[in-house]
Amino acid sequence: MIPPQEASARRREIEDKLKQEEETLSFIRDSLEKSDQLTKNMVSILSSFESRLMKLENSIIPVHKQTENLQRLQENVEKTLSCLDHVISYYHVASDTEKIIREGPTGRLEEYLGSMAKIQKAVEYFQDNSPDSPELNKVKLLFERGKESLESEFRSLMTRHSKVVSPVLILDLISGDDELEVQEDVALEHLPESVLQDVIRISRWLVEYGRNQDFMNVYYQIRSSQLDRSIKGLKEHFRKSSSSSGVPYSPAIPNKRKDTPTKKPPRRPGTIRKAQNLLKQYSQHGLDGKKGGSNLIPLEGHEHDFRVKHLSEALNDKHGPLAGRDDMLDVETDAYIHCVSAFVKLAQSEYQLLADIIPEHHQKKTFDSLIQDALDGLMLEGENIVSAARKAIIRHDFSTVLTVFPILRHLKQTKPEFDQVLQGTAASTKNKLPGLITSMETIGAKALEDFADNIKNDPDKEYNMPKDGTVHELTSNAILFLQQLLDFQETAGAMLASQVLGDTYNIPLDPRETSSSATSYSSEFSKRLLSTYICKVLGNLQLNLLSKSKVYEDPALSAIFLHNNYNYILKSLEKSELIQLVAVTQKTAERSYREHIEQQIQTYQRSWLKVTDYIAEKNLPVFQSGVKLRDKERQMIKERFKGFNDGLEELCKIQKAWAIPDTEQRDKIRQAQKNIVKETYGAFLHRFGNVSFTKNPDKYIKYQVEQVGDMIDRLFDTSA
């Protein structure tokens, strides 16, 4: 049971809590009543406000709609007035712009184009809205007159400001990058910048609004003339400069400072060496034995040999008179080569200019037309060179044909740039250069083959044969011609390869040595083909020399002749790169020539047998010492001395007039012969010099051993 004190305390606690709850409930009830009252008041206010808003709306909406209609009416009126003003302005365009159009666009292009824009809009308006209006015809006529003025201005600007590029600037443009450590860019300003911008704006207007392409014809005709005149001017400048100073180049660049280092003259793309001129003079008698129109007197003896030896040494001496042969050019050839390079550079520059002025879809066609005159001129001149070479071949003037080589080499080197410049042009335009290259390769190969055949078939056996057995001019001509090919090895090899001459030389065509093009061969194959050709020429020359040597009645002179020619050929091959070319297909060529030379020396030495046989030990009778000689024996000794003396004198007299220009070979042959004769004569003299075979020994013992040696030392020397 809960104690009475705790129960009483608990009751009081509960009663206190109940009282508190009743107070809280009473507060909440009062609050709710107040809230209900406020709500009723708010509802009443809102209902009143809604009623008022509805009344206001019913009053405002009609006013708003009326105002909106009024605003729309006002806008329509304003637009109508604006359209009327715009339409009325079209009727005033002709009168407003007529003066400007009549005066033309010169010096006021911006204003002029603005007027043309107004006229064009007027034309469009009348065409759309009033096609029968007389105003349409008026603005149309004005528009056409303005368009004609713009076309005329375009022509005038192009004509007045298109200038021929000076030869000096062209030469700077095409000069090689290796001339200076830092190559300056040479820019061509075909038109002043302000004029260029005007031309571009007129061009764009004519294309976009004028619907006219005639200006493109005007453009290409004017620029084509300038391009053609620039190249012709370079050619003329080159000729004049070459004839006057020999240096067809002026490196000056406008506005250069005085202390700017001067450029060196450009390296010429193609060179014809001075030896070509020597060859031309030397071969005027013709390799076919015809005299031709030359006044050159055939060289004989030492004079001929000295000239040949001089030519050969000069040709191979890097420090000699021909060391500057690259500067001694054929003017026409070098001018043509420079004009080809000039065409490429100028055409590139023309395309850059054209790209700014002519619409893109018309650029290739316009450029094709623009370059035709200049390109046709180059191709025609190239064909003239081919034609001249063809005539030279008929005349057997092979030195003239050599002008084709540097030109062809330069054309092939320039072809990639040519192809790049001519991208997008007609096929007929692109094929012009390859066609010229093919023609030159064909005529070059023809010249090479005819030269080889002419060397083989040269009939000159009795005329112009050197009386002293020295080098024949056919030999010097052949070697000089072959040495010219050293500067054009790849070109000459390609000439032969282009004609597919592998079968001619029995060289199989390896598929790996050819490209997709039937006329494109590897450099290695071309080199082998050229080597085979040189060997063919040398072989033909050797056969001809053998035939010519039979003209000499004296076998010894024939041997000296062959010796001199073989030795000259060998020395010439060794002094130049020809020996390396020959070795590509003939490894033993050098050894073979040495064997031929030695064989001819031996043949020559046999000419002395008729002298030494008189006194040779094997042909002498045996005499007993201390026994008196019989008359028959004394007579035999006299005959031996007399035979030796007569033979020695005869040979020395004859062979003194012969020539061996090579000092080393001459001394070698003299010494060998001297040793043989002195040894034989010395033994004979030792044996019979003190024998009493005659009362007048001075009559038979005319020479001592040393005297005989001195006489042999004077062989091959007309001055002795």
Side-chain angles (χ1 to χ4, degrees):
M1 289 200 53
I2 302 173
Q5 294 83 355
E6 292 181 5
S8 178
R10 183 75 178 267
R11 189 183 306 114
R12 284 194 300 270
E13 182 180 350
I14 291 173
E15 289 176 353
D16 291 339
K17 287 185 179 181
L18 181 60
K19 186 179 180 180
Q20 290 178 356
E21 292 295 335
E22 287 176 353
E23 291 176 354
T24 301
L25 180 62
S26 176
F27 175 76
I28 292 173
R29 189 179 290 114
D30 292 340
S31 297
L32 287 174
E33 289 176 357
K34 290 179 180 180
S35 177
D36 288 341
Q37 184 63 38
L38 290 173
T39 300
K40 289 177 182 180
N41 293 337
M42 181 59 69
V43 169
S44 175
I45 292 171
L46 290 174
S47 297
S48 176
F49 184 70
E50 182 180 7
S51 174
R52 292 179 180 180
L53 282 176
M54 289 179 66
K55 290 180 181 180
L56 180 62
E57 182 179 355
N58 291 332
S59 300
I60 292 300
I61 286 177
V63 175
H64 173 72
K65 289 182 177 179
Q66 186 178 4
T67 303
E68 186 178 25
N69 290 333
L70 291 173
Q71 288 177 343
R72 188 178 297 112
L73 288 173
Q74 183 180 3
E75 290 176 358
N76 289 337
V77 170
E78 290 176 353
K79 288 181 178 178
T80 301
L81 291 174
S82 176
C83 288
L84 286 173
D85 290 339
H86 183 66
V87 170
I88 292 172
S89 69
Y90 289 134
Y91 286 87
H92 295 338
V93 164
S95 59
D96 292 343
T97 60
E98 185 175 7
K99 181 180 179 182
I100 296 175
I101 299 304
R102 185 174 61 252
E103 292 176 353
T106 303
R108 55 194 301 181
L109 182 61
E110 188 71 27
E111 181 182 5
Y112 193 90
L113 291 178
S115 297
M116 289 298 295
K118 293 179 182 179
I119 296 172
Q120 183 182 8
K121 289 179 180 179
V123 171
E124 293 173 353
Y125 170 79
F126 288 119
Q127 284 178 336
D128 294 339
N129 299 282
S130 184
D132 298 328
S133 170
E135 291 295 329
L136 176 60
N137 293 331
K138 190 173 182 179
V139 292
K140 268 189 172 181
L141 289 174
L142 197 58
F143 182 82
E144 290 300 321
R145 187 190 305 170
K147 186 171 70 171
E148 291 175 359
S149 294
L150 284 173
E151 293 172 357
S152 177
E153 179 70 4
F154 182 89
R155 178 188 293 274
S156 176
L157 289 175
M158 291 298 302
T159 302
R160 284 188 289 114
H161 296 283
S162 290
K163 305 297 182 183
V164 174
V165 183
S166 70
V168 172
L169 190 56
I170 295 176
L171 288 170
D172 282 325
L173 188 66
I174 65 178
S175 61
D177 291 340
D178 57 345
E179 303 306 323
L180 291 177
E181 294 181 1
V182 178
Q183 178 72 12
E184 295 185 19
D185 293 331
V186 181
L188 293 180
E189 186 182 63
H190 296 291
L191 298 173
E193 184 61 27
S194 60
V195 174
L196 176 61
Q197 294 306 316
D198 286 350
V199 168
I200 292 173
R201 294 196 64 186
I202 295 174
S203 167
R204 291 176 179 174
W205 190 94
L206 289 173
V207 172
E208 186 174 356
Y209 304 108
R211 305 293 189 271
N212 189 310
Q213 296 182 7
D214 291 342
F215 78 94
M216 299 181 195
N217 296 332
V218 172
Y219 177 85
Y220 92 70
Q221 289 169 1
I222 294 174
R223 294 308 307 168
S224 175
S225 175
Q226 299 304 321
L227 175 62
D228 192 42
R229 289 171 59 194
S230 295
I231 293 177
K232 289 179 178 177
L234 172 64
K235 184 176 181 180
E236 188 62 26
H237 170 81
F238 199 92
R239 288 175 176 172
K240 290 181 179 178
S241 299
S242 296
S243 61
S244 61
S245 64
V247 183
Y249 178 76
S250 176
I253 297 179
N255 300 324
K256 264 195 169 185
R257 294 188 310 166
K258 291 184 178 180
D259 57 348
T260 302
T262 304
K263 286 185 181 179
K264 297 178 182 178
R267 296 180 62 185
R268 308 300 197 270
T271 61
I272 292 296
R273 298 184 288 184
K274 183 179 179 181
Q276 175 195 341
N277 299 326
L278 298 175
L279 173 60
K280 186 172 182 178
Q281 296 173 2
Y282 216 61
S283 61
Q284 285 298 319
H285 293 281
L287 295 179
D288 57 356
K290 296 179 181 180
K291 294 288 183 180
S294 172
N295 295 321
L296 184 66
I297 300 174
L299 301 176
E300 297 181 358
H302 292 277
E303 183 183 1
H304 172 273
D305 183 75
F306 174 81
R307 182 70 58 83
V308 171
K309 184 173 183 291
H310 172 74
L311 291 180
S312 177
E313 291 177 349
L315 186 63
N316 292 282
D317 183 4
K318 295 182 179 180
H319 305 286
L322 300 186
R325 57 182 176 268
D326 285 351
D327 294 327
M328 301 177 183
L329 310 172
D330 181 271
V331 175
E332 294 296 329
T333 300
D334 210 25
Y336 183 74
I337 288 172
H338 279 78
C339 287
V340 169
S341 295
F343 172 81
V344 173
K345 295 297 184 182
L346 292 177
Q348 290 172 342
S349 181
E350 286 292 344
Y351 192 84
Q352 293 172 357
L353 177 66
L354 176 144
D356 291 331
I357 300 173
I358 304 299
E360 184 176 359
H361 54 289
H362 292 287
Q363 289 175 4
K364 297 295 184 182
K365 182 179 179 181
T366 305
F367 180 70
D368 196 345
S369 301
L370 189 154
I371 62 174
Q372 284 303 314
D373 287 347
L375 182 59
D376 287 344
L378 285 177
M379 295 303 106
L380 177 61
E381 190 170 352
E383 290 298 338
N384 289 339
I385 292 172
V386 172
S387 178
R390 188 177 291 109
K391 294 177 182 178
I393 293 174
I394 296 175
R395 301 193 309 268
H396 301 295
D397 181 8
F398 296 102
S399 62
T400 300
V401 182
L402 289 172
T403 59
V404 172
F405 284 72
I407 294 175
L408 177 58
R409 178 174 65 183
H410 185 65
L411 289 179
K412 295 179 79 171
Q413 290 173 345
T414 312
K415 187 176 181 298
E417 290 184 89
F418 245 100
D419 293 341
Q420 185 178 9
V421 169
L422 301 182
Q423 280 183 353
T425 57
S428 58
T429 303
K430 293 178 181 177
N431 292 333
K432 287 181 180 179
L433 179 64
L436 179 59
I437 289 176
T438 299
S439 297
M440 287 194 171
E441 285 187 331
T442 301
I443 199 65
K446 171 69 173 172
L448 292 175
E449 284 303 292
D450 280 16
F451 180 79
D453 292 340
N454 215 48
I455 291 294
K456 179 180 180 180
N457 301 319
D458 174 46
D460 184 10
K461 294 180 180 179
E462 297 180 3
Y463 305 103
N464 203 30
M465 286 293 290
K467 295 179 180 180
D468 56 2
T470 190
V471 178
H472 196 280
E473 64 182 298
L474 176 68
T475 303
S476 60
N477 289 339
I479 294 300
L480 284 170
F481 185 86
L482 294 179
Q483 286 175 330
Q484 305 308 299
L485 300 184
L486 289 176
D487 284 342
F488 311 102
Q489 294 182 36
E490 293 184 7
T491 303
M495 283 179 177
L496 299 172
S498 68
Q499 305 303 309
V500 196
L501 297 176
D503 293 338
T504 303
Y505 298 116
N506 297 318
I507 297 180
L509 301 181
D510 190 333
R512 294 173 297 180
E513 294 180 321
T514 62
S515 69
S516 58
S517 173
T519 58
S520 180
Y521 294 82
S522 72
S523 58
E524 185 61 30
F525 175 75
S526 298
K527 188 174 183 180
R528 288 197 291 117
L529 197 54
L530 181 59
S531 172
T532 307
Y533 169 77
I534 292 174
C535 291
K536 177 183 178 181
V537 172
L538 293 176
N540 290 349
L541 177 60
Q542 185 173 343
L543 290 174
N544 201 315
L545 290 174
L546 284 172
S547 176
K548 291 182 185 301
S549 68
K550 297 176 182 178
V551 172
Y552 296 111
E553 296 179 0
D554 192 333
L557 181 55
S558 177
I560 290 297
F561 172 76
L562 291 176
H563 165 273
N564 285 332
N565 282 271
Y566 291 156
N567 185 64
Y568 175 79
I569 294 171
L570 178 60
K571 294 287 185 175
S572 298
L573 294 178
E574 290 176 336
K575 288 181 179 179
S576 65
E577 296 178 12
L578 283 174
I579 193 65
Q580 286 84 358
L581 266 179
V582 170
V584 171
T585 53
Q586 294 291 336
K587 304 294 185 183
T588 62
E590 185 175 357
R591 184 181 67 188
S592 177
Y593 273 111
R594 294 192 186 282
E595 290 175 352
H596 287 320
I597 292 170
E598 188 59 35
Q599 181 181 356
Q600 297 309 318
I601 292 176
Q602 293 174 4
T603 300
Y604 161 75
Q605 288 177 340
R606 285 196 288 271
S607 68
W608 282 84
L609 290 177
K610 64 180 181 181
V611 176
T612 57
D613 277 352
Y614 279 103
I615 57 176
E617 181 69 28
K618 61 182 180 179
N619 296 327
L620 295 177
V622 178
F623 298 100
Q624 293 182 0
S625 178
V627 179
K628 185 178 181 181
L629 297 176
R630 293 175 294 181
D631 291 341
K632 181 179 180 181
E633 292 172 339
R634 285 196 296 271
Q635 185 61 33
M636 182 183 63
I637 294 174
K638 292 177 182 178
E639 291 176 355
R640 296 304 170 90
F641 270 108
K642 186 177 186 303
F644 172 79
N645 293 335
D646 292 345
L648 176 66
E649 292 169 356
E650 180 185 1
L651 284 186
C652 287
K653 180 180 179 181
I654 294 173
Q655 295 183 10
K656 187 175 80 168
W658 297 355
I660 299 180
D662 188 309
T663 304
E664 181 181 351
Q665 287 290 314
R666 182 168 64 241
D667 292 344
K668 174 184 175 182
I669 292 174
R670 283 174 176 172
Q671 188 62 43
Q673 198 59 53
K674 185 168 63 172
N675 291 341
I676 294 172
V677 176
K678 284 177 65 176
E679 181 180 354
T680 305
Y681 182 64
F684 178 77
L685 192 60
H686 177 74
R687 183 172 180 181
F688 296 102
N690 297 321
V691 175
S692 179
F693 65 91
T694 178
K695 295 180 180 179
N696 187 11
D698 291 339
K699 179 181 178 181
Y700 298 98
I701 306 177
K702 297 173 64 175
Y703 304 104
Q704 296 301 316
V705 174
E706 292 304 322
Q707 289 179 299
V708 171
D710 292 341
M711 293 174 69
I712 295 176
D713 279 335
R714 289 193 291 271
L715 296 179
F716 317 116
D717 186 358
T718 55
S719 63

